[in-house]
Amino acid sequence: MTHHIVVLGAGYAGLAAAKGAARRLRRRARRDDVRITLVNADAGFVERVRLHQLAAGRRLQSLPLSGLLAGTGVELVVARVTAVDAAARAVRLDSAPYDLGYDTLVYALGSAADTGAVPGAAAHATAVATYRDAVRLRERAAHTRGSLVVVGAGLTGIETAAELAEAYPGRRVRLVTAGEFGAGLSERGARYLRLALDRRGMALREHTRVAEVAAHGLILADGGEIPADVVVWAAGFRVPQLARAAGFAVDARGLLTVDATLRSVSHPEVFAAGDAAAAHGPGGAATRMSCQTGLPMGAYAARSVAASLSGRTPDPLRLRYVWQNISLGRRDGLTQFTRADDSPVPAVLTGRPSARFKETVTKATVLALRR
Ligand SMILES: Cc1cc2nc3c(=O)[nH]c(=O)nc-3n(C[C@H](O)[C@H](O)[C@H](O)COP(=O)(O)OP(=O)(O)OC[C@H]3O[C@@H](n4cnc5c(N)ncnc54)[C@H](O)[C@@H]3O)c2cc1C
């Protein structure tokens, strides 16, 4: 009987999982009794790590999933997943084939911007977490002469603010964060970022909590206001709630809880990878939502699924961090080198060499997914 592996989500994790499973099971083990289907809402692969570039008016290369899957034997279904029926072991879709039964499920639906965090953010702010978000931000930014404010000074917020400041040199770009700027970076790294923002004339507001987003800008928790023509919400990601609705074990945010082999702790026929998985890295800390972890998690999930089909348990997943790469426009950047647990060491790479390094890593990631 054919064993059907269904992978949900063709981002970094899902694509790596589907291609990895095909390589391991169909090509190497010659398992003709295995069928692999990859389900994704869009027909193209979205290079999420470049979405701030798209938002600032740059073009992204087109990467049709059909091309990335050519020759692998993986079937592609372009449809939106609306539900997972865990009891029936079936996935419900918004378009044909509507229902898809599975024997093994890989859950890799990624994340989106957490615009539900404060009132008004969903209505008045634009995010940069999905292709549609980035296109919307590109339109808004291009059609205003006024100021732009980015809420959230994590990696995505910093990269987006810097990219917009480079694309629109005459505009006022502000970066607002509830916490301390540069948390998680070394002292040298944080200092470099501050100087870089200064050089671009960007204003930074730390320790500033946003209570609401209104049509005219931000309303702060202390009662103050920051007027803005365009508000970018980059203060955190949320994940789809399909795993929770299906009854799979999830954490408080809805990330699917997995063991050290990326297997669901509640449903052994289910695996998860990428942003939507509650996995743990070195020292037991939750993994950082990143392509840096999503891609190896996807590749590992393929290994774990292949092992489960032959009744084996693979060695536990071992993730280790090496750097955090932050682009500051197209010609500047900060590479913060880290320990395996993602904590910063004093070593950094800055300026053009860092920008070139990040570009090389980003291109190499797509090359790895092509192979
Ligand atoms: C602007 C920006 C810059 C970033 N820069 C970096 C960086 O420099 N380095 C780094 O490591 N990380 C970076 N990240 C984070 C990184 O992009 C994510 O962590 C990574 O994309 C996660 O991979 P994933 O496969 O889990 O999810 P995704 O890449 O989000 O893929 C999920 C896929 O699932 C699909 N999907 C979702 N819901 C459904 C549904 N209901 N039905 C069907 N399909 C669905 C989506 O369309 C998507 O194709 C950045 C993120 C952003 C937004």
Side-chain angles (χ1 to χ4, degrees):
M1 222 172 70
T2 302
H3 186 99
H4 193 193
I5 300 168
V6 174
V7 180
L8 304 184
Y12 297 93
L15 189 54
K19 291 187 76 160
R23 190 173 55 246
R24 283 173 184 280
L25 290 164
R26 291 176 61 93
R27 199 161 352 131
R28 280 199 214 148
R30 304 214 174 274
R31 294 274 307 253
D32 292 334
D33 59 340
V34 172
R35 180 180 159 212
I36 303 164
T37 304
L38 177 61
V39 183
N40 197 58
D42 300 296
F45 173 76
V46 174
E47 259 190 290
R48 271 184 88 193
V49 303
R50 289 193 192 272
L51 286 181
H52 53 299
Q53 297 176 39
L54 178 66
R58 294 190 173 265
R59 288 171 69 94
L60 300 191
Q61 63 175 325
S62 160
L63 293 164
L65 286 166
S66 55
L68 294 170
L69 293 171
T72 61
V74 174
E75 295 166 42
L76 174 66
V77 170
V78 178
R80 180 157 282 280
V81 181
T82 54
V84 179
D85 184 336
R89 295 199 180 175
V91 176
R92 312 283 176 223
L93 307 173
D94 71 348
S95 54
Y98 295 104
D99 277 316
L100 208 51
Y102 65 83
D103 298 294
T104 297
L105 187 74
V106 181
Y107 186 86
L109 291 176
S111 62
D114 189 10
T115 49
V118 300
H124 301 298
T126 314
V128 72
T130 65
Y131 189 86
R132 280 172 199 77
D133 290 342
V135 168
R136 195 157 151 243
L137 175 54
R138 180 181 67 188
E139 301 308 313
R140 283 200 180 178
H143 290 103
T144 175
R145 300 204 163 277
S147 62
L148 303 137
V149 58
V150 177
V151 183
L155 308 190
T156 303
I158 295 169
E159 290 194 322
T160 304
E163 202 79 35
L164 290 169
E166 184 179 273
Y168 301 106
R171 307 271 179 78
R172 186 166 176 70
V173 179
R174 288 195 188 92
L175 189 56
V176 173
T177 177
E180 174 104 8
F181 183 71
L185 298 174
S186 65
E187 212 182 298
R188 276 177 76 191
R191 199 176 334 120
Y192 186 83
L193 278 189
R194 281 179 192 276
L195 287 171
L197 299 195
D198 243 24
R199 271 200 305 276
R200 286 169 177 75
M202 292 161 63
L204 172 66
R205 287 271 303 257
E206 293 171 272
H207 311 293
T208 303
R209 187 161 290 282
V210 175
E212 192 180 334
V213 182
H216 63 279
L218 305 178
I219 300 171
L220 307 177
D222 65 7
E225 294 196 0
I226 299 179
D229 295 281
V230 176
V231 174
V232 184
W233 194 260
F237 293 119
R238 65 179 157 75
V239 297
Q241 295 301 305
L242 294 174
R244 187 195 298 281
F248 300 145
V250 292
D251 72 1
R253 297 168 65 197
L255 281 75
L256 199 147
T257 314
V258 289
D259 64 15
T261 67
L262 296 187
R263 199 169 200 159
S264 159
V265 297
S266 62
H267 292 69
E269 71 283 10
V270 177
F271 296 76
D275 286 4
H280 293 92
T287 46
R288 169 161 54 92
M289 284 185 177
S290 65
C291 145
Q292 212 180 120
T293 49
L295 192 69
M297 280 164 89
Y300 177 90
R303 195 173 144 208
S304 198
V305 167
S308 77
L309 259 64
S310 50
R312 289 179 292 113
T313 305
D315 294 338
L317 169 69
R318 279 192 221 295
L319 286 172
R320 57 189 323 275
Y321 295 94
V322 185
W323 57 63
Q324 294 181 18
N325 249 338
I326 307 170
S327 64
L328 300 165
R330 295 301 82 214
R331 292 177 293 278
D332 193 2
L334 169 73
T335 304
Q336 171 66 66
F337 293 96
T338 65
R339 298 183 189 86
D341 67 359
D342 211 22
S343 59
V345 296
V348 294
L349 183 69
T350 57
R352 250 180 217 270
S354 165
R356 275 198 215 111
F357 178 61
K358 176 154 190 182
E359 186 55 31
T360 306
V361 171
T362 307
K363 282 189 177 145
T365 303
V366 172
L367 268 180
L369 287 170
R370 274 189 201 281
R371 263 192 239 123

